[in-house]
Amino acid sequence: MHIHPLITDSEDLAALCARLAQSDFVAVDTEFMRENTYWPELCLVQIANDKEAAAIDPMAPGLDMSPLMDLLTDNEDVLKVFHAGGQDVEIIYNITKRTPHPIFDTQIAMMAVSQSEQIGYSNLVESWLGLTIDKGARFTDWSRRPLTERQIEYAIGDVTHLAKIFPRLLGRLMKTSRGQWLDQEMEKLADPENYRNDADVAWKRIKAAGRNAAVLGRLKALAAWREHEARDKNIPRGRIVRDETLADIASHPPKTQADLAKVRGLSQGWKDNEIGRRLMQTLANAVPLPDEEMPPRAPRGAPLGKEGSLVADLLKLLLKIRAREIDVASRLLARSDELEMLAAGVRKNLAMLEGWRYETFGRDALDLVEGKLAFAVENGRLKMTHVDDKAA
């Protein structure tokens, strides 16, 4: 594989992207800094196919990144391969307001061919290529210039290894006929709605107890206010106010600005500074959350209770057995909250009762809660068995 020198010139980048546009796939990775800013700062992009690889410096003066962004977001003929690519996709979306598509994530794909829930990149490379990754540059400050040869070599390795692993992993998926299992997961990763940073819906990311319209209305207003404050100052939102503090203020709003000094998580200065005044004005203008914006009630069956909890535990055991039997990650088949809802009597809007998940696991899960499935020990191994089969 040919490794290019660090690309800092628009003409070189355009030529690289023109060649990569003829590929079946490209492996992509990014290096970024987000500890001190609201928006993640893109510091390096690495890209490779099976023939060539390069690191691209988006901080280079005058570099036109549009050929690269067009390749990633507009070219439907080239598959974009990431590993644990959520943050990479987020950064590309922030720049272009589009997401890479079509997309393939090797961390997600590993769930369909092994019991790995969230395999790290180093473990992926070691298991597929037998190589040990040098982690020395992992915590480097990628915004500092100039980058060292070691940093660039480390960064490019992320995509050269990925370009070798992807065809092998794809081959195993094809042999297992589980590729279609991942279609929905990959589309979720590429869905722009996951990355749209709308201040008016920021409140949905904050854990809040109950469905009180007045409380949620205040939380919505406060979360939007915090987004605007953080964007204006270009600092992480948590440095304005932490989530738990916002939720506490929404539930127990202070009557005066002086009362802000008593709020846990705020400094004494908030009682008479400008940001404190803006917070109080936000509270004064907040209105109850309208009915159409209220979060849906959680699906309910019968109260779970002690017996239901035991059933849920049996379902979790069943999930572990099935995942081991077919060598997939249990999280790909069902989530713990779904198992608890099934144990409580819910039968609708559960992913594990639809499509391939139903055929692979959901049908047996239903049989278990309906008394048609039991556990048995055979040759020292725990297995599932249908009651009728056991009786016979």
Side-chain angles (χ1 to χ4, degrees):
M1 181 181 293
H2 178 66
I3 309 297
H4 295 278
L6 179 67
I7 291 182
T8 59
D9 178 79
S10 297
E11 186 175 339
D12 291 341
L13 178 57
L16 172 69
C17 293
R19 293 192 302 273
L20 294 177
Q22 307 306 311
S23 307
D24 292 328
F25 75 92
V26 290
V28 186
D29 188 36
T30 65
E31 308 298 342
F32 54 89
M33 302 294 291
R34 69 186 313 159
E35 288 81 1
N36 298 310
T37 58
Y38 180 83
W39 302 106
E41 183 181 14
L42 180 61
C43 301
L44 200 68
V45 181
Q46 306 92 270
I47 191 165
N49 60 10
D50 57 343
K51 297 181 179 65
E52 59 183 320
I56 301 149
D57 184 1
M59 302 177 71
L63 181 64
D64 180 9
M65 293 284 287
S66 58
L68 176 63
M69 294 302 156
D70 290 344
L71 171 64
L72 296 178
T73 62
D74 287 349
N75 191 322
E76 290 286 321
D77 296 325
V78 180
L79 181 67
K80 293 81 183 181
V81 180
F82 296 83
H83 181 80
Q87 293 188 91
D88 305 303
V89 174
E90 176 193 1
I91 289 174
I92 295 167
Y93 175 82
N94 288 342
I95 295 171
T96 66
K97 301 308 175 189
R98 305 187 302 274
T99 57
H101 194 272
I103 197 169
F104 185 95
D105 191 302
T106 52
Q107 186 179 73
I108 296 174
M110 281 295 291
M111 293 195 296
V113 298
S114 72
Q115 296 177 58
S116 302
E117 296 286 346
Q118 286 185 315
I119 187 170
Y121 182 73
S122 297
N123 290 335
L124 180 80
V125 172
E126 185 173 357
S127 64
W128 284 89
L129 302 179
L131 300 175
T132 300
I133 298 294
D134 175 12
K135 300 180 181 179
R138 184 172 49 170
F139 298 110
T140 192
D141 181 352
W142 292 102
S143 65
R144 295 184 65 181
R145 293 296 184 272
L147 295 170
T148 66
E149 289 298 323
R150 184 188 180 203
Q151 287 174 316
I152 296 171
E153 181 181 354
Y154 166 85
I156 289 181
D158 286 347
V159 290
T160 56
H161 296 325
L162 202 57
K164 295 175 183 176
I165 292 170
F166 165 67
R168 301 183 191 183
L169 178 53
L170 183 63
R172 183 179 295 184
L173 275 171
M174 293 174 67
K175 288 180 180 178
T176 60
S177 300
R178 294 173 183 171
Q180 70 274 18
W181 292 11
L182 301 175
D183 290 345
Q184 185 178 0
E185 304 302 316
M186 301 302 180
E187 289 302 315
K188 284 181 188 175
L189 180 63
D191 186 355
E193 289 298 323
N194 294 329
Y195 311 100
R196 188 165 287 129
N197 203 348
D198 186 348
D200 287 336
V201 298
W203 66 277
K204 295 182 180 180
R205 297 192 296 264
I206 302 173
K207 186 176 181 181
R211 299 177 74 255
N212 183 292
V215 171
L216 292 180
R218 288 191 292 267
L219 183 62
K220 177 182 177 180
L222 288 169
W225 161 81
R226 182 179 67 171
E227 292 298 308
H228 294 301
E229 292 281 348
R231 287 178 192 175
D232 289 344
K233 296 175 175 61
N234 194 26
I235 60 175
R237 59 179 66 86
R239 292 195 188 175
I240 302 293
V241 186
R242 296 176 64 86
D243 284 2
E244 53 267 30
T245 303
L246 272 192
D248 185 46
I249 294 172
S251 297
H252 307 94
K255 292 182 172 60
T256 68
Q257 185 176 347
D259 292 334
L260 291 177
K262 305 173 187 177
V263 176
R264 183 177 180 181
L266 299 183
S267 69
Q268 289 289 319
W270 285 66
K271 69 180 187 302
D272 53 19
N273 64 12
E274 284 300 320
I275 194 170
R277 274 190 276 276
R278 291 195 293 271
L279 185 152
M280 293 303 297
Q281 188 61 51
T282 298
L283 281 175
N285 294 337
V287 296
L289 197 69
D291 290 343
E292 62 270 18
E293 293 186 39
M294 291 292 287
R297 296 183 184 276
R300 292 184 180 180
L304 198 56
K306 292 183 179 180
E307 294 302 318
S309 295
L310 291 175
V311 174
D313 288 340
L314 288 176
L315 285 168
K316 293 173 185 177
L317 178 59
L318 175 67
L319 179 60
K320 288 183 179 179
I321 293 173
R322 176 46 53 88
R324 183 194 66 194
E325 286 179 342
I326 63 175
D327 194 26
V328 301
S330 59
R331 191 163 63 94
L332 190 61
L333 300 176
R335 303 190 314 268
S336 293
D337 61 328
E338 286 185 297
L339 299 179
E340 292 172 0
M341 286 190 284
L342 185 68
V346 176
R347 297 295 183 269
K348 294 181 178 180
N349 300 320
L350 297 180
M352 67 177 175
L353 299 184
E354 300 173 357
W356 67 267
R357 287 184 172 88
Y358 174 75
E359 299 297 329
T360 306
F361 172 74
R363 179 186 285 115
D364 284 339
L366 272 177
D367 285 347
L368 178 64
V369 297
E370 292 174 0
K372 301 175 184 177
L373 196 70
F375 294 100
V377 178
E378 295 182 9
N379 300 320
R381 289 176 65 88
L382 192 61
K383 293 187 175 182
M384 306 172 295
T385 179
H386 278 82
V387 174
D388 293 342
D389 295 341
K390 193 66 179 176

